[in-house]
Amino acid sequence: MSSKNKTLGEFIIENQTEFRYSTGELSKLINAIRLAAKVVNHEVNKAGLVDILGSAGDTNIQGENQQKLDVLANEKFIQTLKNREIVCGIASEEEDDFISINSQDENHQNKYVVLIDPLDGSSNIDVNVSVGTIFSIYRRVTPVGTPVTLEDFLQPGKNQVAAGYIIYGTSTMLVYTTGHGVNGFTLNPAIGTFYLSHPNMQFPETGKIYSVNEGNYIHFPQGVKDYIKYCQKEEGDRPYTSRYIGSLVSDFHRNMIKGGIYMYPKSSKAHKGKLRLLYECNPMAFLAEEANGKASDGFQRIMEIQPTELHERVPFFCGSKKMVETAEEFMANS
Ligand code: AHM
Ligand code: MG
């Protein structure tokens, strides 16, 4: 069958044997994410039509205003994963603490935990700009059949067994990796099926796009300021183009296709940056590396960092390998 008409369901079954010790559990888990993605996609698409826009009135653990669609997406993903009984624990950017599933049931043999940012870039919802869902999957480190603990979630990104995102854009795509490259699937909304549209996605070695919130320039470390000036300098293939959607999934997706670098550095206002290591940076880093790109905190590989708390933040530099390396050189020299 050509990749052009292969569905995500078929792809999952065909590639199940790639996982060592596979019992089909991870495939079922990705299937559940596929289902939740379709449900959330449906809600996101009708956002302008029904009264689900605006603030839900709650604030999340980071003190940010939570919008209704965030709450909804959070519920849908958690519900779907719970109902299908395929994970032992879930942590979400929208939840204060992790959720242990079937912790009372000793026969509960599920071995995976899922970490999720249910609706990233949510400030873009009100203005009809692309948002996304980011997910990350680990094998638990504590014994199966016992309740999960914080330790199961605080694993370095290099332990991930799968990661991906759904982009609710001009079309809806699910892009994921299980450590064997990155594949992208586009939803045909007429029949509700994802088709393999972007097999083996790769970051170009280098690119001409830099994505950063330049409004924060004055607060950035000197290395980042110097790198931005380098991007803007007229020399060789520069100046680069500046593109910043303010929606990590969308900025990452574009940069992966066209070549570019995304940066959310620390600043004098946010000492560890803004993005969350577990829900945003690790899954994007895994995807980037699987697609021949690179992800760093400016000095070291994101996936080597040992997390110490669920909602930890970290500076993030991610994209085409050569561009991230150059940014790291500027950081090191400053
Ligand atoms: P969120 O999880 O609250 O949506 O924040 C994450 C988002 C990223 O998608 C995006 O790249 C970044 O925040 C934009 O932040 P800023 O508006 O500070 O540039
Ligand atoms: Mg987010």
Side-chain angles (χ1 to χ4, degrees):
M1 189 183 296
S2 94
S3 68
K4 284 284 172 229
N5 50 19
K6 190 177 288 176
T7 68
L8 173 55
E10 288 161 347
F11 183 88
I12 291 172
I13 293 167
E14 271 176 35
N15 291 282
Q16 189 166 311
T17 47
E18 276 181 354
F19 316 125
R20 272 197 301 160
Y21 322 117
S22 170
T23 55
E25 203 179 320
L26 186 60
S27 300
K28 284 189 200 139
L29 179 43
I30 294 180
N31 261 319
I33 289 171
R34 169 181 71 157
L35 177 67
K38 284 193 227 175
V39 175
V40 172
N41 176 62
H42 182 68
E43 299 297 337
V44 169
N45 278 337
K46 64 182 187 186
L49 295 174
V50 286
D51 183 29
I52 51 172
L53 278 175
S55 162
D58 295 339
T59 47
N60 68 11
I61 192 167
Q62 279 93 20
E64 296 155 332
N65 200 19
Q66 213 172 54
Q67 295 182 281
K68 278 187 186 172
L69 267 175
D70 305 23
V71 181
L72 205 100
N74 189 41
E75 277 171 17
K76 297 291 177 202
F77 273 97
I78 291 175
Q79 236 169 45
T80 310
L81 294 169
K82 269 186 174 171
N83 288 349
R84 296 207 155 190
E85 296 181 1
I86 37 169
V87 290
C88 50
I90 305 168
S92 163
E93 194 188 290
E94 299 295 340
E95 302 282 334
D96 295 356
D97 209 349
F98 65 83
I99 301 166
S100 177
I101 294 171
N102 287 3
S103 52
Q104 307 307 322
D105 179 3
E106 285 175 18
N107 298 321
H108 192 76
Q109 293 301 307
N110 294 340
K111 55 180 179 291
Y112 293 110
V113 295
V114 174
L115 292 92
I116 189 156
D117 182 354
L119 210 59
D120 183 65
S122 49
S123 60
N124 279 323
I125 296 166
D126 281 349
V127 290
N128 208 353
V129 170
S130 302
V131 288
T133 296
I134 309 172
F135 62 91
S136 168
I137 302 173
Y138 294 81
R139 215 169 269 125
R140 64 182 299 175
V141 290
T142 54
V144 285
T146 61
V148 283
T149 70
L150 191 55
E151 207 192 326
D152 293 312
F153 297 92
L154 297 186
Q155 299 190 51
K158 64 183 178 192
N159 289 4
Q160 287 172 105
V161 293
Y165 58 79
I166 297 117
I167 177 167
Y168 310 100
T170 40
S171 60
T172 295
M173 282 188 70
L174 193 155
V175 176
Y176 80 102
T177 181
T178 54
H180 300 272
V182 176
N183 290 287
F185 301 81
T186 303
L187 182 68
N188 177 345
I191 50 173
T193 303
F194 281 102
Y195 286 94
L196 179 59
S197 52
H198 295 63
N200 193 21
M201 297 179 83
Q202 299 270 317
F203 270 94
E205 197 77 1
T206 189
K208 296 190 71 172
I209 297 172
Y210 72 102
S211 317
V212 64
N213 186 342
E214 277 184 80
N216 294 329
Y217 183 89
I218 194 78
H219 301 293
F220 286 153
Q222 193 55 44
V224 177
K225 287 181 178 168
D226 293 345
Y227 179 66
I228 291 174
K229 286 291 159 226
Y230 165 88
C231 293
Q232 296 170 341
K233 194 169 176 191
E234 185 139 38
E235 196 175 282
D237 61 348
R238 289 169 283 135
Y240 296 152
T241 296
S242 165
R243 289 280 182 276
Y244 189 69
I245 298 170
S247 185
L248 170 63
V249 171
S250 316
D251 280 312
F252 178 99
H253 187 75
R254 182 207 51 240
N255 289 350
M256 179 158 61
I257 291 171
K258 295 194 164 181
I261 182 171
Y262 172 96
M263 298 180 280
Y264 210 109
K266 71 173 186 179
S267 69
S268 50
K269 280 165 93 187
H271 295 288
K272 294 195 84 183
K274 176 185 183 188
L275 301 182
R276 290 74 170 175
L277 174 59
L278 294 179
Y279 310 108
E280 291 160 332
C281 303
N282 272 336
M284 291 318 219
F286 190 20
L287 287 159
E289 289 193 10
E290 281 297 318
N292 195 36
K294 191 169 174 157
S296 151
D297 69 354
F299 300 96
Q300 61 165 330
R301 187 180 173 221
I302 285 289
M303 290 204 287
E304 294 289 341
I305 300 171
Q306 174 60 53
T308 53
E309 49 180 318
L310 274 182
H311 295 277
E312 184 168 342
R313 297 172 196 263
V314 73
F316 194 50
F317 299 75
C318 179
S320 290
K321 205 182 272 172
K322 290 221 163 105
M323 298 179 89
V324 176
E325 278 164 6
T326 305
E328 279 181 327
E329 279 165 28
F330 276 92
M331 296 300 287
N333 292 336
S334 69

